[in-house]
Amino acid sequence: MPELPEVETIVRGLRHKVVGQRIGGVSLRLPKILRCDQGEFVRRVPGRTIRDVRRRGKLIIIELSGGWSLLVHLKMTGQLVWTPQAQPPQRHTHLVFRFRNCPFQLRYCDQRQFGYLLLLETARLSDLPPLRDLGPEPLEIGESEFVELLVSRTRRIKPLLLDQSFVAGLGNIYADESLWRARAHPLTRANRISLRKGRELLRAVQSVLTAAIEHRGSSVDTYRDAVGQPGQFQSRLQVYGREGRSCPRCGRRIRRLVISGRSSFFCPRCQRRLL
DNA sequence: CTGCATGTTAGGTT
DNA sequence: CAACCTAACATGCA
């Protein structure tokens, strides 16, 4: 499940492979993964050069020459993989970009087919959802700004952290890890979190994300980076997916709670419920 | 075979 | 408008 650290790892890995490459052709094996006009995509993409690859939240933006960009959301199981041409495409390979004078190709693979790509004018990128509706980047926001956002909300902190319009890029894994680090119960109402704890929560979010990026993300399921390698952070997760194991800080059994339909893993001793 | 879990978001209701 | 709920997507697993 690619969240911010996984997407960042993919973007960094992809950037130095594809920037400057000219797209020779595309093969669309599963048309439904395109969220734009198919004909336009096949007509407009070949011949363009990749200018930049960047991330915003969990979205990947591949900027092409001539004022067009590709927007990619990997959702649960999407992968963008730099692969030797000679390697036969697998069952879940849905789109292939070939490059001029290059023995590698860029493949979009997605076991569950929830992810998508679309082509649009670079100038219109930020006018449209989902980019338009994203909250601030958690690694760029300041403590006071974050605390301001918290006090204006009455929602429970866990679903709030998962809300991409509140803060962009957190998913279930890093939300739980951050709450554990900050010793905050996932059901706490955002506006009931003290200023001190609010600042602590942002620092927890930032240190977890930074550490996860350093370890190239967490492969708890199918995640692979831009060259097909798994991440290394899954073994450093403290609570996520560890129901019944002991809390690394206090030894108490980690519990799992379903909050707005999502699993939440937390330590009932370290993360006391305030209400 | 059934039913559930999975993350995200669109779309609905309160 | 904010908060909350549910459906939908495809697959794998108990």
Side-chain angles (χ1 to χ4, degrees):
Chain A
M1 282 124 282
E3 305 180 22
L4 187 153
E6 289 76 28
V7 177
E8 182 64 27
T9 303
I10 291 166
V11 162
R12 289 179 187 182
L14 217 50
R15 188 181 288 140
H16 82 271
K17 299 287 187 195
V18 301
V19 168
Q21 297 273 6
R22 190 167 179 208
I23 298 170
V26 294
S27 300
L28 183 57
R29 298 156 48 100
L30 184 74
K32 60 162 265 199
I33 62 153
L34 275 191
R35 289 268 184 97
C36 62
D37 184 85
Q38 204 185 121
E40 193 174 46
F41 180 89
V42 173
R43 203 170 344 106
R44 294 202 129 112
V45 172
R48 292 185 197 273
T49 300
I50 298 184
R51 296 290 191 215
D52 189 25
V53 182
R54 54 185 189 272
R55 176 192 66 75
R56 174 78 174 95
K58 302 176 193 174
L59 289 160
I60 298 169
I61 299 156
I62 301 175
E63 192 183 329
L64 307 178
S65 54
W68 290 82
S69 288
L70 293 166
L71 192 61
V72 187
H73 199 311
L74 302 172
K75 289 281 186 90
M76 311 252 300
T77 55
Q79 302 175 334
L80 275 174
V81 194
W82 186 247
T83 317
Q85 240 170 15
Q87 198 176 111
Q90 288 96 342
R91 177 155 83 104
H92 298 300
T93 302
H94 306 314
L95 176 64
V96 179
F97 298 90
R98 292 178 300 276
F99 300 95
R100 306 270 171 97
N101 308 314
C102 178
F104 285 79
Q105 43 188 221
L106 179 62
R107 296 180 178 179
Y108 178 78
C109 309
D110 194 344
Q111 184 181 101
R112 297 195 188 162
Q113 307 170 30
F114 291 176
Y116 61 87
L117 294 90
L118 67 113
L119 177 72
L120 79 170
E121 285 147 294
T122 305
R124 293 208 309 144
L125 269 173
S126 47
D127 299 345
L128 301 170
L131 253 176
R132 185 193 62 191
D133 304 321
L134 290 183
E137 285 290 321
L139 292 174
E140 289 167 20
I141 193 174
E143 284 184 5
S144 49
E145 196 186 342
F146 183 73
V147 167
E148 276 305 301
L149 287 176
L150 283 182
V151 299
S152 66
R153 306 297 202 107
T154 62
R155 288 174 77 183
R156 313 213 181 243
I157 188 62
K158 174 66 189 287
L160 189 60
L161 288 178
L162 294 179
D163 182 345
Q164 302 298 298
S165 68
F166 177 71
V167 140
L170 289 179
N172 216 25
I173 297 174
Y174 299 109
D176 280 0
E177 293 296 310
S178 302
L179 290 169
W180 178 81
R181 283 203 185 206
R183 297 173 159 90
H185 193 288
L187 289 174
T188 312
R189 304 265 175 199
N191 59 348
R192 305 289 214 94
I193 294 174
S194 68
L195 298 184
R196 190 156 161 275
K197 199 154 219 168
R199 287 193 292 267
E200 197 180 336
L201 178 56
L202 179 64
R203 287 196 297 271
V205 165
Q206 293 181 335
S207 60
V208 166
L209 293 177
T210 303
I213 291 169
E214 279 168 9
H215 291 90
R216 310 184 57 78
S218 305
S219 292
V220 299
D221 194 4
T222 59
Y223 166 71
R224 291 294 182 274
D225 71 15
V227 291
Q229 292 297 115
Q232 302 292 318
F233 198 69
Q234 60 279 6
S235 63
R236 304 179 114 85
L237 296 175
Q238 312 288 295
V239 286
Y240 182 82
R242 301 177 63 83
E243 182 182 22
R245 313 276 297 268
S246 51
C247 169
R249 206 161 38 207
C250 77
R252 185 83 176 264
R253 271 175 165 253
I254 292 164
R255 297 228 301 133
R256 186 178 83 101
L257 211 56
V258 175
I259 303 170
S260 67
R262 300 284 158 251
S263 286
S264 276
F265 299 93
F266 69 103
C267 169
R269 183 183 288 156
C270 295
Q271 298 165 266
R272 267 166 299 162
R273 182 171 179 177
L274 302 173
L275 201 77

